[in-house]
Amino acid sequence: MIHAVIMAGGAGTRFWPESRVALPKQLLKMAGPRTMIQSTMDRLVGLCDPKNCLIVTNRQLVDAVAAQLPEVPGESLIGEPCKRDTAPCVGLAAFWIGKRDPTGIMLMLPADHVIQATSAFQAAVRKGAELVQADPTRIITFGIRPTYPSEAFGYIERDSVASSADLGVFRVKRFREKPNRQTAQQFLEAGGFYWNAGIFLWRVDTIKSALRRFEPEMYAHVECIAQALGAPQFTEVFEREFAAIGGKSIDYAVLEKYDNVWVIEAPFDWDDVGNWTSLSRLVGTDHSGNTIQATHVGIDTTNSIVRGASEHLIVTVGLNDCIIVQTPDATLIANRNDEEKIRNVVKALSEKGLNRFL
């Protein structure tokens, strides 16, 4: 049986001013009528029953997530008391699911990716589940064939080919860090490299065993939390033990050390929606290269992104390569070439005591 775990704890700071502490990117409508986390759940329909879905987010977002996903039982929402990256998240999910299905298959996926088409995604997941069932010690990841030399993604280098009639399946040779431009170009030209989509399949007992082997201290803290589940002191134990964990990604904690990892070449279109420029890829551009999601009048405006409320008119004159995002209480105007600096806005606001805009 497949149990889906949606990781929904990100802050989405590069999407300020829309993404805020109380309403981060995964709870926003970025490229369609449904929010990103709702679209992620929609993608699981027919693959995984809602009662077998687990949402791991931060404690402050539990109520907001519950409101957006009423089909998910309340006991399937885990609110982490602090940020500790993805490895502790995986550990918590494995213990939660393991109480009901010790040898079940876990599908780990982020809440803030855009994937098309759903049928291709589900076919790839089912193929991965078959591979795990054939070899319970196997870990499956999904790789995206790169279309340009990205410096923003980690890479998976593939090795030998596994037998598969309809999907490319390869043993993972090694994981590669986010490269510089020159190295990314070399990866692209060499072939045999994929963007790491951050989507994984494994058996509950396999990932627990791997965490115990490679991260025994982290495993002990998570095990202590799981043992307190349902007890009167659970909240106290959860806060104490989780805060004591050293934050680490599941890639560093397990995948880079594990010797039986396989990658499926994704047959679906994927976008991690990492910044405002992603909108141009998702919703397209007009004849001037602009991506407009607003009531807008532009004069001599090119290659820009304009987003705002429909009742608010935005007029631009003589702009090129700009990002303009209007919300009721804040407006962002940035050069697209400086987009990575948007995440620094949150730090600057905090330092200036402007927490009401966070």
Side-chain angles (χ1 to χ4, degrees), residues 51-74:
K51 72 176 184 295
N52 291 326
C53 292
L54 191 69
I55 316 296
V56 185
T57 184
N58 67 63
R59 182 171 292 174
Q60 294 86 349
L61 294 179
V62 167
D63 289 343
V65 170
Q68 290 203 6
L69 302 177
E71 67 270 35
V72 177

Side-chain angles (χ1 to χ4, degrees), residues 15-88:
F15 283 89
W16 189 91
E18 280 200 34
S19 183
R20 306 289 181 95
V21 171
L23 198 71
K25 176 181 65 169
Q26 60 269 28
L27 301 182
L28 298 175
K29 298 176 183 178
M30 300 303 297
R34 301 272 281 170
T35 67
M36 301 201 76
I37 196 170
Q38 288 173 332
S39 296
T40 302
M41 274 297 297
D42 294 345
R43 201 173 301 130
L44 298 172
V45 174
L47 183 68
C48 180
D49 192 285
K51 72 176 184 295
N52 291 326
C53 292
L54 191 69
I55 316 296
V56 185
T57 184
N58 67 63
R59 182 171 292 174
Q60 294 86 349
L61 294 179
V62 167
D63 289 343
V65 170
Q68 290 203 6
L69 302 177
E71 67 270 35
V72 177
E75 61 270 21
S76 295
L77 298 175
I78 301 178
E80 296 175 337
C82 54
K83 296 177 72 67
R84 287 297 182 267
D85 217 322
T86 55

Side-chain angles (χ1 to χ4, degrees), residues 6 25 29 39 48 57 62 78 94 104 121 140 146 154 181 203 207 221 226-227 230 233 244 263 287 297 311 324:
I6 299 177
K25 176 181 65 169
K29 298 176 183 178
S39 296
C48 180
T57 184
V62 167
I78 301 178
F121 168 77
I140 301 296
R181 179 78 176 187
R203 263 185 35 161
I207 196 63
H221 288 301
Q227 290 173 344
Q233 69 273 23
V263 58
H287 64 280
V297 173
E311 66 274 11
I324 300 170

